[in-house]
């Protein structure tokens, strides 16, 4: 396991927040209405060990008081040892579109030392789960969006993909009105800062994987004075655009599939009988995909064809420990579907229902299309997706469907999310910019921010993760990967001592059997 290590936190103890979350426009009285609310904490229905509450936020932080308010469901785990309490750790979910509400429960179970010293809090981002959300697709329309075979490059198939993407964008606007306009990272970080203020603290520490690194980086850009420490785990290239991030995924997923998963399943040929070499396993997987193209199967209420097999496979690639064995078992069951046992059929049904959903898409596409500009030349995407389908078919095949949705999405007037545009600290000799953190993605070494706002990114490569998580495949380079919930152990983010025998290199990197961990220079041993 790899732990991300930064300086020990000095937790604020103020009973009330003095910072008023800052809408960029509108009269102060309008913002005060939100900052003055009290959270009514009750046991969470989904996780009784947590407390949940509903927070009211403006539809548009730039014009608070105009338009209907939104509701954000938030959660918290109270520090188990109040005498050692060190502050608040806010965590967020990836996606965009995944729920973060009950994640603190699993997090503190995996990292009890942090659960003892920190109030661990999270939320369902606007658009997600229990919070105010958009409606873009019915279940039937969702299945139709992923119907057929994205590898099919015939004119009729391509036209069908484009038509469905155009219809998705149109339906989102018609069914949800202007709400989808305000589902973006800029609005979400203002929601986060209101949550911080309502918790009564001046500063939070932060942990987020995948898209939550984008969210956390932008929060630290907008509100640097309110960040104590942050771990951005398996980071997206948040100094760029969503288009750039999406274009990195086909290669990364294909590499993870061919260089990691296929050799792994071949190693266990005596268990799964799926081929004794990676080449044999790939041929068998491709044969099953071709069979599903010609003869889709019905699993529960879902039709499973080649696109669904792609989606199931890429989802499993995120986490070797949790995903690879179930994927292998599903592949075996599909190979003898006519004689599959009841238990095998239940496993397959559960597996194919666990990834994408209409609700996920109703957040994912608004955020990715709103946050940053997209090339709106459909011809460009037809050419690019053809190339990526040939070279990186696992994810490259669906590239046109995703990009075309943003091609037809109304142009957003949200401020572009580009975390590197603002300094993390006030100008001065020691000023560091968040662009240095994003440079970790390119240079494969952690950023060394001063203690005022300690930010570390943990990039990883889907092909080189020794701990098994592959996360946001837009990241490249060597993997300094850390399983969510286990990343923050006592010697990790929030300040336990390093073991005496831990060798620390001059650049602050700690060598371990799992890879490299960055240590704040203030905690290096001589």
């Amino acid at each position: 396991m790899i732990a991300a290590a930064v300086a020990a936190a000095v937790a604020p103890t103020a009973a009330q927040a003095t910072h008023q979350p800052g809408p960029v426009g509108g009269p102060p009285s309008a913002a005060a209405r939100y900052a003055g609310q009290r959270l009514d904490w009750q046991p969470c229905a989904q996780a009784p060990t947590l407390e949940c509450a509903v927070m009211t936020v403006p539809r548009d932080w730039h014009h608070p008081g105009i338009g209907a308010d939104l509701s954000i469901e938030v959660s918290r785990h109270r520090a188990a040892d109040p005498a050692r309490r060190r502050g608040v750790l806010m965590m967020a979910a990836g996606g965009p579109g995944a729920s973060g509400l009950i994640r603190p429960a699993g997090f503190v179970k995996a990292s009890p030392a942090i659960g003892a010293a920190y109030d661990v809090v999270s939320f369902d981002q606007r658009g997600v789960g229990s919070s105010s959300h958009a409606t873009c697709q019915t279940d039937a329309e969702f299945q139709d969006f992923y119907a057929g075979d994205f590898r099919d490059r015939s004119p009729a198939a391509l036209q069908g993909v484009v038509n469905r993407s155009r219809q998705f964008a149109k339906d989102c606007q018609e069914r949800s009105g202007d709400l989808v306009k305000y589902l973006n990272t800029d609005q979400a970080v203002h929601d986060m800062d209101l949550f911080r203020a309502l918790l009564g603290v001046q500063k939070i520490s932060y942990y987020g994987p995948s898209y939550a690194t984008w969210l956390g980086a932008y929060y630290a850009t907008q509100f640097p004075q309110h960040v104590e420490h942050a771990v951005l785990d398996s980071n997206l290239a948040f100094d760029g655009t969503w288009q750039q991030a999406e274009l990195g995924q086909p290669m990364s997923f294909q590499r993870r599939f061919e260089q990691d998963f296929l050799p792994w399943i071949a190693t266990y040929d005596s268990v799964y009988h799926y081929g004794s070499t990676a080449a044999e396993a790939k041929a068998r997987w491709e044969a099953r995909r071709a069979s599903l193209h010609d003869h889709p199967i019905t699993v529960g209420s879902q039709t499973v064809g080649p696109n669904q097999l792609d989606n199931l496979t890429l989802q499993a690639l995120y986490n070797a420990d949790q995903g690879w064995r179930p994927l292998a078992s599903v592949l075996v069951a599909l190979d003898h579907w006519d004689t599959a046992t009841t238990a095998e059929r239940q496993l397959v049904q559960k597996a194919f229902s666990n990834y994408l959903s209409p609700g996920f898409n109703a957040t994912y596409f608004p955020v990715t299309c709103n946050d940053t500009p997209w090339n709106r030349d459909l011809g460009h995407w037809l050419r690019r997706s053809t190339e990526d389908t040939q070279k990186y078919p696992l994810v490259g095949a669906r590239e046109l469907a995703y990009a075309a949705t943003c091609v037809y999405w109304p142009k957003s007037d949200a401020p572009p999310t580009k975390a590197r545009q603002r300094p993390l600290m006030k100008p001065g000799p020691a000023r560091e910019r968040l662009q240095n953190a994003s440079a970790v993605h390119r240079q494969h070494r952690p950023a060394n921010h001063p203690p005022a706002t300690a930010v570390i990114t943990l990039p990883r490569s889907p092909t080189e993760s020794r701990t098994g998580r592959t996360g946001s495949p837009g990241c490249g380079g060597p993997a300094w990967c850390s399983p969510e919930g286990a990343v923050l152990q006592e010697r990790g983010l929030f300040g336990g001592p390093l073991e005496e025998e831990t060798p620390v290199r001059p650049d602050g990197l700690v060598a371990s059997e799992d890879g490299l961990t960055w240590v704040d220079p203030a905690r290096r041993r001589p």
Side-chain angles (χ1 to χ4, degrees), residues 260-302:
D260 288 352
F261 175 74
L262 292 176
W264 174 87
I265 197 172
T267 300
Y268 293 98
D269 184 48
S270 62
V271 177
Y272 300 110
H273 309 293
Y274 212 73
S276 60
T277 67
E280 289 178 0
K282 183 178 181 181
R284 188 160 181 176
W285 188 92
E286 288 288 352
R288 175 52 46 200
R289 191 185 189 283
S291 176
L292 291 173
H293 174 97
D294 297 334
H295 306 287
I297 64 173
T298 300
V299 179
S301 61
Q302 186 174 11

Coordinates of all heavy atoms in Angstrom, one line a residue, residues 260-302:
D260 N -2.1 -5.8 -18.3 CA -2.3 -6.1 -16.9 C -3.4 -7.2 -16.7 O -3.1 -8.3 -16.2 CB -2.7 -4.9 -16.1 CG -1.5 -4.0 -15.9 OD1 -0.4 -4.3 -16.2 OD2 -1.8 -2.9 -15.3
F261 N -4.6 -6.9 -17.2 CA -5.7 -7.9 -16.9 C -5.5 -9.2 -17.7 O -5.6 -10.3 -17.1 CB -7.0 -7.3 -17.2 CG -8.2 -8.3 -17.1 CD1 -8.6 -8.7 -15.8 CD2 -8.7 -8.9 -18.2 CE1 -9.6 -9.7 -15.7 CE2 -9.8 -9.8 -18.1 CZ -10.2 -10.2 -16.8
L262 N -5.2 -9.1 -19.0 CA -5.1 -10.4 -19.8 C -4.0 -11.3 -19.3 O -4.2 -12.5 -19.1 CB -5.0 -10.0 -21.2 CG -6.2 -9.4 -21.9 CD1 -5.9 -9.0 -23.3 CD2 -7.4 -10.3 -21.8
P263 N -2.8 -10.7 -19.0 CA -1.8 -11.6 -18.4 C -2.2 -12.2 -17.0 O -1.9 -13.3 -16.7 CB -0.6 -10.7 -18.2 CG -0.8 -9.6 -19.3 CD -2.2 -9.4 -19.3
W264 N -3.0 -11.4 -16.3 CA -3.4 -11.9 -15.0 C -4.4 -13.1 -15.1 O -4.2 -14.1 -14.5 CB -4.1 -10.8 -14.2 CG -4.7 -11.2 -12.9 CD1 -4.1 -11.3 -11.7 CD2 -6.1 -11.7 -12.7 NE1 -5.0 -11.8 -10.8 CE2 -6.2 -12.0 -11.4 CE3 -7.2 -11.8 -13.6 CZ2 -7.4 -12.5 -10.8 CZ3 -8.4 -12.3 -13.1 CH2 -8.5 -12.6 -11.7
I265 N -5.4 -12.9 -16.0 CA -6.3 -14.1 -16.1 C -5.6 -15.3 -16.8 O -6.0 -16.4 -16.4 CB -7.6 -13.6 -16.9 CG1 -8.7 -14.6 -16.7 CG2 -7.3 -13.4 -18.4 CD1 -10.0 -14.2 -17.3
A266 N -4.6 -15.0 -17.6 CA -3.9 -16.2 -18.2 C -3.1 -16.9 -17.1 O -2.9 -18.1 -17.1 CB -3.0 -15.7 -19.3
T267 N -2.6 -16.1 -16.1 CA -1.8 -16.7 -15.0 C -2.7 -17.7 -14.3 O -2.2 -18.7 -13.7 CB -1.3 -15.7 -14.1 OG1 -0.4 -14.8 -14.8 CG2 -0.6 -16.2 -12.9
Y268 N -4.0 -17.4 -14.2 CA -4.9 -18.3 -13.5 C -5.8 -19.1 -14.4 O -7.0 -19.4 -14.2 CB -5.8 -17.4 -12.6 CG -5.1 -16.7 -11.5 CD1 -4.7 -15.4 -11.6 CD2 -4.8 -17.4 -10.3 CE1 -3.9 -14.8 -10.6 CE2 -4.1 -16.8 -9.3 CZ -3.6 -15.5 -9.4 OH -2.9 -14.9 -8.4
D269 N -5.1 -19.6 -15.5 CA -5.9 -20.5 -16.4 C -6.4 -21.7 -15.8 O -7.4 -22.3 -16.2 CB -4.9 -20.8 -17.6 CG -5.6 -21.6 -18.7 OD1 -6.7 -21.2 -19.1 OD2 -5.1 -22.7 -19.1
S270 N -5.7 -22.2 -14.7 CA -6.2 -23.4 -14.1 C -7.5 -23.2 -13.3 O -8.2 -24.1 -13.0 CB -5.1 -23.9 -13.1 OG -4.8 -22.9 -12.1
V271 N -7.8 -21.9 -13.0 CA -9.0 -21.6 -12.3 C -10.1 -21.2 -13.3 O -11.2 -21.7 -13.2 CB -8.8 -20.4 -11.4 CG1 -10.1 -20.0 -10.7 CG2 -7.7 -20.7 -10.3
Y272 N -9.8 -20.3 -14.3 CA -10.8 -19.8 -15.2 C -10.8 -20.4 -16.5 O -11.8 -20.3 -17.3 CB -10.6 -18.3 -15.3 CG -10.7 -17.5 -14.0 CD1 -9.5 -17.0 -13.4 CD2 -11.9 -17.4 -13.3 CE1 -9.6 -16.3 -12.2 CE2 -12.0 -16.7 -12.1 CZ -10.8 -16.2 -11.6 OH -10.9 -15.5 -10.4
H273 N -9.8 -21.1 -16.9 CA -9.7 -21.8 -18.2 C -10.1 -20.8 -19.4 O -10.8 -21.2 -20.2 CB -10.7 -23.0 -18.2 CG -10.5 -23.9 -17.0 ND1 -9.4 -24.7 -16.8 CD2 -11.3 -24.1 -16.0 CE1 -9.5 -25.4 -15.7 NE2 -10.7 -25.0 -15.2
Y274 N -9.4 -19.7 -19.3 CA -9.7 -18.6 -20.3 C -8.5 -18.4 -21.2 O -8.5 -17.5 -22.0 CB -10.0 -17.3 -19.6 CG -11.0 -16.5 -20.3 CD1 -12.4 -16.8 -20.4 CD2 -10.6 -15.3 -20.9 CE1 -13.3 -16.0 -21.0 CE2 -11.5 -14.5 -21.6 CZ -12.8 -14.8 -21.7 OH -13.7 -14.1 -22.3
G275 N -7.6 -19.3 -21.2 CA -6.4 -19.2 -22.0 C -5.1 -19.1 -21.2 O -5.1 -18.4 -20.1
S276 N -4.1 -19.7 -21.6 CA -2.9 -19.8 -20.8 C -1.9 -18.7 -21.2 O -0.8 -18.5 -20.5 CB -2.2 -21.1 -21.0 OG -1.8 -21.3 -22.4
T277 N -2.2 -17.9 -22.2 CA -1.4 -16.7 -22.5 C -2.3 -15.5 -22.7 O -3.5 -15.6 -22.8 CB -0.6 -16.9 -23.8 OG1 -1.6 -17.0 -24.9 CG2 0.2 -18.2 -23.8
A278 N -1.7 -14.3 -22.6 CA -2.5 -13.1 -22.8 C -3.2 -13.1 -24.2 O -4.3 -12.6 -24.3 CB -1.7 -11.8 -22.6
A279 N -2.5 -13.6 -25.2 CA -3.0 -13.6 -26.5 C -4.2 -14.5 -26.6 O -5.2 -14.2 -27.3 CB -1.9 -14.0 -27.5
E280 N -4.1 -15.7 -26.0 CA -5.3 -16.6 -26.0 C -6.5 -16.0 -25.2 O -7.6 -16.1 -25.7 CB -4.9 -17.9 -25.3 CG -3.9 -18.7 -26.2 CD -3.5 -20.0 -25.5 OE1 -4.0 -20.3 -24.3 OE2 -2.7 -20.8 -26.1
A281 N -6.2 -15.3 -24.1 CA -7.3 -14.7 -23.4 C -7.9 -13.6 -24.1 O -9.2 -13.5 -24.1 CB -6.8 -14.2 -22.0
K282 N -7.1 -12.8 -24.8 CA -7.7 -11.7 -25.6 C -8.6 -12.3 -26.8 O -9.7 -11.8 -27.0 CB -6.6 -10.8 -26.2 CG -7.1 -9.6 -27.0 CD -6.0 -8.7 -27.5 CE -6.6 -7.6 -28.3 NZ -5.5 -6.7 -28.8
A283 N -8.1 -13.3 -27.4 CA -8.8 -13.9 -28.5 C -10.2 -14.4 -28.0 O -11.2 -14.3 -28.7 CB -8.0 -15.0 -29.2
R284 N -10.2 -15.0 -26.8 CA -11.4 -15.5 -26.3 C -12.4 -14.4 -25.9 O -13.6 -14.5 -26.1 CB -11.1 -16.4 -25.1 CG -12.4 -17.2 -24.6 CD -11.9 -18.3 -23.7 NE -13.1 -19.1 -23.3 CZ -13.0 -20.2 -22.5 NH1 -11.8 -20.7 -22.3 NH2 -14.1 -20.8 -22.1
W285 N -11.8 -13.3 -25.3 CA -12.7 -12.2 -25.0 C -13.3 -11.6 -26.2 O -14.5 -11.2 -26.3 CB -11.8 -11.1 -24.2 CG -12.6 -10.0 -23.7 CD1 -13.1 -9.9 -22.4 CD2 -12.9 -8.8 -24.4 NE1 -13.8 -8.7 -22.3 CE2 -13.7 -8.0 -23.5 CE3 -12.7 -8.3 -25.6 CZ2 -14.1 -6.7 -23.8 CZ3 -13.1 -7.0 -26.0 CH2 -13.9 -6.2 -25.1
E286 N -12.5 -11.4 -27.3 CA -13.0 -10.9 -28.5 C -14.0 -11.8 -29.2 O -15.0 -11.3 -29.8 CB -11.8 -10.7 -29.5 CG -10.9 -9.5 -29.2 CD -11.5 -8.1 -29.4 OE1 -12.6 -8.1 -30.0 OE2 -10.9 -7.1 -29.0
A287 N -13.8 -13.1 -29.0 CA -14.8 -14.0 -29.6 C -16.2 -13.9 -28.8 O -17.2 -13.9 -29.4 CB -14.3 -15.5 -29.5
R288 N -16.1 -13.7 -27.5 CA -17.3 -13.5 -26.7 C -18.0 -12.2 -27.1 O -19.2 -12.1 -27.3 CB -17.0 -13.5 -25.2 CG -18.2 -13.2 -24.3 CD -19.4 -14.0 -24.6 NE -19.0 -15.4 -24.7 CZ -19.8 -16.4 -25.3 NH1 -20.9 -16.0 -25.9 NH2 -19.4 -17.6 -25.4
R289 N -17.2 -11.1 -27.4 CA -17.7 -9.9 -27.8 C -18.4 -10.0 -29.1 O -19.5 -9.5 -29.3 CB -16.6 -8.8 -27.9 CG -17.2 -7.4 -28.0 CD -16.0 -6.4 -28.2 NE -16.6 -5.0 -28.1 CZ -17.2 -4.4 -29.1 NH1 -17.5 -5.1 -30.3 NH2 -17.7 -3.2 -29.0
A290 N -17.8 -10.7 -30.1 CA -18.4 -10.9 -31.4 C -19.7 -11.7 -31.3 O -20.7 -11.4 -32.0 CB -17.4 -11.6 -32.3
S291 N -19.7 -12.7 -30.4 CA -20.9 -13.4 -30.2 C -22.1 -12.6 -29.6 O -23.2 -12.7 -30.1 CB -20.7 -14.6 -29.2 OG -21.8 -15.3 -28.9
L292 N -21.8 -11.7 -28.7 CA -22.8 -10.8 -28.2 C -23.2 -9.8 -29.2 O -24.4 -9.3 -29.2 CB -22.2 -10.0 -27.0 CG -22.0 -10.9 -25.7 CD1 -21.3 -10.1 -24.6 CD2 -23.3 -11.4 -25.2
H293 N -22.4 -9.4 -30.2 CA -22.8 -8.6 -31.3 C -23.8 -9.3 -32.1 O -24.9 -8.7 -32.5 CB -21.6 -8.3 -32.2 CG -21.9 -7.5 -33.4 ND1 -21.8 -6.2 -33.6 CD2 -22.3 -8.0 -34.7 CE1 -22.1 -5.8 -34.8 NE2 -22.5 -6.9 -35.5
D294 N -23.6 -10.5 -32.4 CA -24.6 -11.3 -33.2 C -25.8 -11.8 -32.5 O -26.9 -11.9 -33.0 CB -23.9 -12.5 -33.9 CG -22.7 -12.1 -34.8 OD1 -22.8 -11.0 -35.4 OD2 -21.8 -12.9 -35.0
H295 N -25.6 -12.1 -31.2 CA -26.6 -12.7 -30.4 C -26.6 -12.1 -29.0 O -26.1 -12.7 -28.0 CB -26.5 -14.2 -30.3 CG -26.4 -14.9 -31.6 ND1 -27.5 -15.0 -32.5 CD2 -25.3 -15.4 -32.3 CE1 -27.1 -15.7 -33.6 NE2 -25.8 -15.9 -33.5
P296 N -27.1 -10.9 -28.8 CA -27.2 -10.3 -27.4 C -28.0 -11.2 -26.5 O -28.9 -12.0 -27.0 CB -27.9 -9.0 -27.7 CG -27.7 -8.7 -29.1 CD -27.7 -10.0 -29.8
I297 N -27.7 -11.1 -25.2 CA -28.5 -11.9 -24.3 C -29.3 -10.9 -23.4 O -28.9 -9.8 -23.3 CB -27.6 -12.8 -23.4 CG1 -26.6 -12.0 -22.6 CG2 -26.8 -13.8 -24.3 CD1 -25.8 -12.8 -21.6
T298 N -30.3 -11.5 -22.7 CA -31.1 -10.7 -21.8 C -30.7 -11.1 -20.4 O -30.8 -12.2 -20.0 CB -32.6 -10.9 -22.0 OG1 -32.9 -10.5 -23.4 CG2 -33.4 -10.1 -21.1
V299 N -30.3 -10.1 -19.6 CA -30.0 -10.3 -18.2 C -30.9 -9.4 -17.4 O -30.7 -8.2 -17.3 CB -28.5 -10.0 -18.0 CG1 -28.1 -10.2 -16.5 CG2 -27.6 -10.8 -18.9
G300 N -31.8 -10.0 -16.7 CA -32.8 -9.2 -16.0 C -33.6 -8.4 -17.0 O -34.2 -9.0 -17.9
S301 N -33.6 -7.1 -16.8 CA -34.3 -6.2 -17.7 C -33.4 -5.6 -18.8 O -33.8 -4.8 -19.5 CB -35.0 -5.1 -17.0 OG -34.1 -4.3 -16.2
Q302 N -32.1 -6.0 -18.7 CA -31.1 -5.4 -19.6 C -30.7 -6.3 -20.7 O -30.5 -7.5 -20.6 CB -29.9 -5.0 -18.7 CG -28.8 -4.3 -19.5 CD -27.7 -3.8 -18.6 OE1 -27.6 -4.3 -17.4 NE2 -26.8 -2.9 -19.1

